[in-house]
Amino acid sequence: MPPPPPLHAVASLPYQCSVLLRQLAARHSPVPASPRSFLRALRRLHARLLTAALLHDPSHPHLTLRLLHLYTLSPDLAAPAILFRSDPGPIAATSLVSAYAVAGRLPDAASFFDSVPLPRRDTVLHNAMISAFARASLAAPALSVFRSLLCSDSLRPDDYSFTALLSAVGHMHNLAASHCTQLHGAVLKLGAGAVLSVSNALIALYMKCDAPEVSRDARKVLDEMPVKDELSWTTIVVGYVRKGDVHAARSAFEEVDAEFDVVWNAMISGYVQSGMCAEAFELFRRMVSKRIPPDEFTFTSVLSACANAGFFLHGKSVHGQFIRLQPNFVPEAALPVNNALVTLYSKSGKISVAARIFDSMTLKDVVSWNTILSGYIESGCLDNAARVFKEMPYKSELSWMVMVSGYVHGGLSEDALKLFNQMRSEDVKPCDYTYAGAVAACGELGALKHGKQLHAHIVQCGFEASNSAGNALLTMYGKCGAVKDARLVFLVMPNVDSVSWNAMIAALGQHGHGREALDLFDQMVAKGIYPDRISFLTILTACNHAGLVDEGFQYFESMKRDFGISPGEDHYARLIDLLGRAGRIGEAMDLIKTMPFEPTPAIWEAILSGCRINGDTELGAYAADQLFEMIPQHDGTYILLSNTYSAAGRWVDAARVRKLMRDRGVKKEPGCSWIEVGNKVHVFVVGDTKHPEAHEVYKFLEMVGAKMRKLGYVPDTKFVLQDMAPHQKEYVLFAHSEKLAVSFGLLNLPLGATVTVLKNLRICGDCHTAMMFMSLAVGREIVVRDVKRFHHFKDGECSCGNYW
């Protein structure tokens, strides 16, 4: 049997274990290098204490408490719970409650707190439980624990109790002024009114209440504080900003004697949030002049202000200051500033500079990637955006939404739908904005069936109350010819906004329901929805499609007179186009002379279009000359002028214009029409022979054409704008893309189904007449959406009333 160890060795073992526990705690701070190695070392120490019979030794209670505390910092929370059973003291209980709360196991923390006998609880344990509920934004259970503390005969709340409780109550739904004043009274009654931390928490509580009168109570607390710190002033400034009272925030800010940088940041950020970007930048300049060092929060706020307000030169100077101070910023601090810089240069149109900043960043997060992605999309660089999207190490929902929307706005709707389907195949749940982008793509493509499927998904996901999704559906149905479905979506939307009204008015106008569009506009105004410039664009377009010239003038004049909206070039262009189509080209020219700006391409295009309709070749040539100077590569100018000459029989001049077009290398956009049949979009061009069912389509078209001729249809060869023999002109008209697409639809769609065809150019006059006779010959409704509007052909008539 070995001899017993020396007495001095046994006596030093508790000290050795205490040192080892302290060393292990130091290794854990601030973040353990390896949680597993930390736990292994902790368990070895645990075993050593057990072997030495030092665990729960009343002579060395601190060893057990320290071991228990270290366990609460590890992934193994079962061990401290077991240790607590042997030493159910308030210190150990507090450590365990805090550990459960930090681990996100709040129910376990509450259950454990309830299991502690009342005599074993102290104020600190109550505070730990109240703080846990406060961090979880749970006011009611925090109040319950506070009441149990008040009801105790031997305990009373301290400063920390009130601070935690006030923080928890600030998260109450429907927080009333009475709640704030009752708690304020309790604070004063129990003698905590002069405590700095409690007063700061009271100010924060008052400012979180929506009642307007509580701002005065918060200000009274601040004025009565014997000592104020940085948090006091920051809380009152942020509170005023949150309530929308920026002037009161600035007044409080000016009272601050000490140069607290956080208070300056709060005031600058408040200005930015309130859209007062000039004031934010001016305050930043004053901060720099006082030699108060700006931090990452300062730079981020000021750069955001410059980007939002278009102060790009100011933003560049702020960038220069950041470069001078950048060596003082660790990568984590520089990250949000660099993100703000990428946004600034993207919005200023300098995407190459934004890309250089992004590429030079040593640290990037998902915000960085989304920012450069948005920058490329806003700059129209879709190829670069696609490359960045592919390279992203992590794609958030926002990343997918930005890319889908970018494709739609960039005219790549098919790519948008492919990406949306890829998103779903990768089990990423689209948000309502992403669904809105996909629905918008369906609207551009005329993919009604696919759009209806997405509508069903939106309802299934619970997004039917979303304005973004609802407005996208409304527009999609309008663009796909389903104006009744658009009206139904509009009627069932729980919250219609100005975008909803504009979309519904536009849908009615596009489909030739001009009077209904005007009535809906008047209803919008009657309901107190303030029309914007888009509202007037849509109503002027509706007047244009319906030939409502006098009404168009009335709405145009109402913009400035009744709503203070100055007409832009697009409004003038709509009105001039309306006049030109009505044969009042002289009035259109007079209107141009009254414009407060020089005529733009859109204005001269409207004049040229009017001249084509009215056969005014001289004025048309003048308008075309203006366009040749402004946009020499635009194919529409050459085509309109050539068509104007051709319609007037001036074939030499028409040929000269086409030669000029060839000499300048301008290519005409080829006309095409497409139709959705069986979840597939079928595209046709003029004289198409490549479609697999082309033979059947031409055979069917010949059969229907014979019926149409018996009903009185005669091909109008004046719409063939080349000088050729009459029989050749008839063949060219016969093979127009919209006739082929409609015939394909009549062959393949169910009997009685509406045939909806989309075309990338204006429908020609002969095709318009042919569609009326075709609808009568086959007894079907035919809908054609051209580049300008919808035409609903039914029983030999068109919804446009032959005014188009």
Side-chain angles (χ1 to χ4, degrees):
M1 183 175 180
L7 287 176
H8 70 275
V10 175
S12 65
L13 189 58
Y15 174 76
Q16 293 174 12
C17 290
S18 180
V19 169
L20 289 172
L21 286 167
R22 283 199 301 271
Q23 289 175 347
L24 193 56
R27 279 176 54 191
H28 186 274
S29 180
V31 178
S34 170
R36 289 184 178 180
S37 63
F38 173 77
L39 186 57
R40 282 197 299 270
L42 186 59
R43 285 171 174 164
R44 285 197 298 268
L45 265 174
H46 189 171
R48 187 167 183 178
L49 288 171
L50 281 170
T51 303
L54 291 173
L55 205 60
H56 308 302
D57 184 352
S59 304
H60 305 285
H62 68 285
L63 295 177
T64 304
L65 290 175
R66 178 157 290 184
L67 180 69
L68 190 150
H69 173 68
L70 288 176
Y71 265 122
T72 63
L73 302 178
S74 76
D76 184 7
L77 289 182
I82 295 170
L83 286 170
F84 175 80
R85 294 194 193 109
S86 302
D87 182 18
I91 298 176
T94 301
S95 295
L96 199 49
V97 165
S98 300
Y100 277 131
V102 169
R105 295 168 57 178
L106 190 59
D108 291 333
S111 175
F112 181 78
F113 174 84
D114 292 338
S115 70
V116 177
L118 291 176
R120 304 290 292 177
R121 300 181 189 177
D122 63 2
T123 301
V124 178
L125 177 59
H126 283 83
N127 293 348
M129 197 65 246
I130 295 171
S131 297
F133 284 128
R135 284 193 296 272
S137 304
L138 297 173
L143 277 166
S144 177
V145 175
F146 183 79
R147 289 193 191 98
S148 71
L149 178 59
L150 286 177
C151 294
S152 172
D153 295 330
S154 58
L155 303 176
R156 57 174 291 151
D158 60 11
D159 307 344
Y160 299 102
S161 312
F162 280 112
T163 304
L165 178 67
L166 293 170
S167 174
V169 174
H171 296 290
M172 277 182 64
H173 296 295
N174 302 318
L175 178 64
S178 58
H179 298 136
C180 302
T181 53
Q182 287 173 9
L183 284 170
H184 193 173
V187 166
L188 296 175
K189 182 179 179 180
L190 293 171
V195 178
L196 179 62
S197 61
V198 177
S199 296
N200 288 342
L202 265 175
I203 294 171
L205 178 66
Y206 274 122
M207 284 304 193
K208 286 178 181 177
C209 179
D210 292 332
E213 66 273 13
V214 296
S215 296
R216 294 192 300 271
D217 296 317
R219 181 69 216 209
K220 184 179 179 184
V221 173
L222 181 74
D223 292 339
E224 293 177 353
M225 289 172 65
V227 178
K228 305 175 185 67
D229 65 359
E230 189 172 27
L231 182 59
S232 313
W233 292 108
T234 303
T235 305
I236 197 76
V237 167
V238 170
Y240 278 130
V241 169
R242 188 180 291 121
K243 288 178 172 293
D245 194 348
V246 184
H247 297 296
R250 182 61 183 262
S251 177
F253 170 81
E254 294 296 347
E255 296 178 39
V256 182
D257 294 328
E259 295 180 346
F260 297 131
D261 60 337
V262 177
V263 184
W264 284 80
N265 287 345
M267 192 65 241
I268 291 171
S269 177
Y271 276 136
V272 175
Q273 293 171 29
S274 304
M276 303 171 69
C277 299
E279 289 81 355
F281 187 77
E282 190 58 39
L283 196 61
F284 172 73
R285 292 178 61 180
R286 183 175 154 195
M287 180 180 183
V288 172
S289 67
K290 285 181 170 288
R291 300 188 181 279
I292 301 174
D295 58 14
E296 64 269 25
F297 302 105
T298 320
F299 280 116
T300 303
S301 293
V302 175
L303 287 169
S304 298
C306 293
N308 294 339
F311 297 159
F312 299 123
L313 290 178
H314 294 80
K316 198 172 181 180
S317 68
V318 176
H319 186 188
Q321 294 186 48
F322 175 66
I323 290 173
R324 287 193 292 273
L325 294 173
Q326 195 165 10
N328 301 330
F329 287 81
V330 297
E332 290 78 11
L335 175 61
V337 184
N338 283 322
N339 290 343
L341 283 169
V342 172
T343 300
L344 173 76
Y345 285 107
S346 297
K347 287 189 174 182
S348 67
K350 299 186 181 300
I351 188 63
S352 58
V353 179
R356 283 202 302 271
I357 294 171
F358 175 81
D359 292 337
S360 67
M361 291 169 63
T362 57
L363 183 66
K364 299 182 180 80
D365 60 5
V366 69
V367 176
S368 315
W369 288 95
N370 285 340
T371 303
I372 192 63
L373 181 68
S374 300
Y376 275 131
I377 286 174
E378 290 170 5
S379 303
C381 305
L382 288 179
D383 289 341
N384 285 329
R387 173 182 54 80
V388 167
F389 184 80
K390 188 176 181 180
E391 294 174 355
M392 291 179 76
Y394 168 74
K395 298 177 181 69
S396 65
E397 286 184 14
L398 179 63
S399 314
W400 291 92
M401 185 270 288
V402 167
M403 198 66 226
V404 169
S405 301
Y407 275 140
V408 175
H409 293 302
L412 301 175
S413 295
E414 288 186 38
D415 292 313
L417 287 179
K418 287 177 184 176
L419 189 65
F420 180 80
N421 291 333
Q422 179 189 338
M423 177 185 186
R424 297 186 64 201
S425 69
E426 295 183 14
D427 292 328
V428 182
K429 291 184 178 179
C431 65
D432 54 336
Y433 293 102
T434 312
Y435 269 111
V439 169
C442 293
E444 295 300 321
L445 294 171
L448 178 60
K449 194 170 183 179
H450 197 164
K452 285 186 173 182
Q453 290 173 355
L454 288 176
H455 189 173
H457 292 157
I458 286 170
V459 173
Q460 189 178 19
C461 295
F463 292 143
E464 65 268 31
S466 163
N467 270 29
S468 59
N471 291 335
L473 284 168
L474 205 163
T475 303
M476 181 272 294
Y477 281 124
K479 287 187 174 183
C480 290
V483 69
K484 291 181 181 178
D485 292 312
R487 197 193 303 270
L488 183 61
V489 170
F490 180 76
L491 290 174
V492 301
M493 283 180 68
N495 299 301
V496 292
D497 55 14
S498 61
V499 177
S500 316
W501 287 93
N502 292 345
M504 192 65 239
I505 293 168
L508 291 171
Q510 279 184 322
H511 289 268
H513 306 300
R515 290 291 179 187
E516 291 182 54
L518 269 57
D519 290 342
L520 193 63
F521 181 91
D522 294 338
Q523 287 178 38
M524 177 181 75
V525 175
K527 288 182 177 291
I529 305 294
Y530 198 81
D532 55 19
R533 63 184 314 277
I534 303 298
S535 309
F536 283 101
L537 273 179
T538 57
I539 202 65
L540 287 172
T541 302
C543 291
N544 196 346
H545 290 326
L548 304 173
V549 182
D550 294 334
E551 290 83 350
F553 257 116
Q554 291 171 10
Y555 283 108
F556 184 83
E557 291 171 355
S558 173
M559 285 181 64
K560 184 70 174 178
R561 183 187 65 234
D562 300 329
F563 300 100
I565 301 173
S566 298
E569 64 158 293
D570 40 6
H571 300 98
Y572 276 100
R574 296 289 197 285
L575 187 58
I576 289 168
D577 190 41
L578 173 60
L579 289 168
R581 284 157 52 88
R584 296 160 64 170
I585 199 72
E587 292 179 57
M589 290 300 295
D590 291 339
L591 182 61
I592 289 177
K593 296 173 184 176
T594 67
M595 294 191 313
F597 46 79
E598 291 297 315
T600 61
I603 302 294
W604 288 119
E605 281 183 359
I607 291 292
L608 180 55
S609 179
C611 291
R612 181 190 63 82
I613 294 170
N614 297 288
D616 191 337
T617 56
E618 299 305 319
L619 181 56
Y622 177 76
D625 286 340
Q626 309 306 310
L627 289 167
F628 288 150
E629 290 184 11
M630 294 178 177
I631 45 174
Q633 295 299 307
H634 179 55
D635 64 331
T637 306
Y638 300 88
I639 295 164
L640 272 175
L641 182 58
S642 175
N643 291 353
T644 303
Y645 283 135
S646 298
R650 295 171 60 173
W651 302 109
V652 174
D653 291 323
R656 177 177 55 79
V657 173
R658 289 197 295 272
K659 182 178 182 301
L660 179 65
M661 186 177 181
R662 289 194 301 271
D663 293 343
R664 291 182 175 178
V666 179
K667 294 184 179 180
K668 177 184 180 295
E669 181 184 2
C672 65
S673 301
W674 60 96
I675 182 171
E676 184 184 19
V677 175
N679 284 332
K680 184 179 179 181
V681 175
H682 298 262
V683 182
F684 294 86
V685 296
V686 63
D688 202 326
T689 58
K690 294 183 179 179
H691 192 278
E693 296 185 41
H695 178 72
E696 290 81 358
V697 167
Y698 280 107
K699 188 175 179 180
F700 178 82
L701 188 53
E702 285 180 4
M703 182 267 293
V704 174
K707 290 184 179 180
M708 291 162 55
R709 280 183 167 83
K710 288 180 181 179
L711 293 171
Y713 167 67
V714 177
D716 194 345
T717 57
K718 76 171 183 287
F719 289 102
V720 178
L721 303 172
Q722 290 87 28
D723 190 11
M724 58 178 64
H727 71 280
Q728 292 176 310
K729 290 185 177 183
E730 286 192 22
Y731 179 78
V732 170
L733 292 173
F734 175 77
H736 273 193
S737 64
E738 50 265 62
K739 290 189 179 82
L740 301 178
V742 169
S743 298
F744 178 80
L746 290 169
L747 276 171
N748 290 278
L749 289 172
L751 192 64
T754 299
V755 177
T756 302
V757 167
L758 287 78
K759 182 176 174 62
N760 66 330
L761 303 175
R762 281 179 67 103
I763 186 173
C764 81
D766 176 72
C767 285
H768 189 270
T769 303
M771 295 301 168
M772 290 194 291
F773 279 97
M774 193 179 290
S775 69
L776 188 61
V778 300
R780 299 271 287 275
E781 182 177 0
I782 299 169
V783 179
V784 177
R785 186 189 91 182
D786 68 9
V787 73
K788 291 289 186 180
R789 62 171 298 157
F790 275 90
H791 299 268
H792 292 254
F793 303 97
K794 188 175 182 180
D795 299 329
E797 295 182 351
C798 180
S799 59
C800 72
N802 291 329
Y803 184 88
W804 55 278

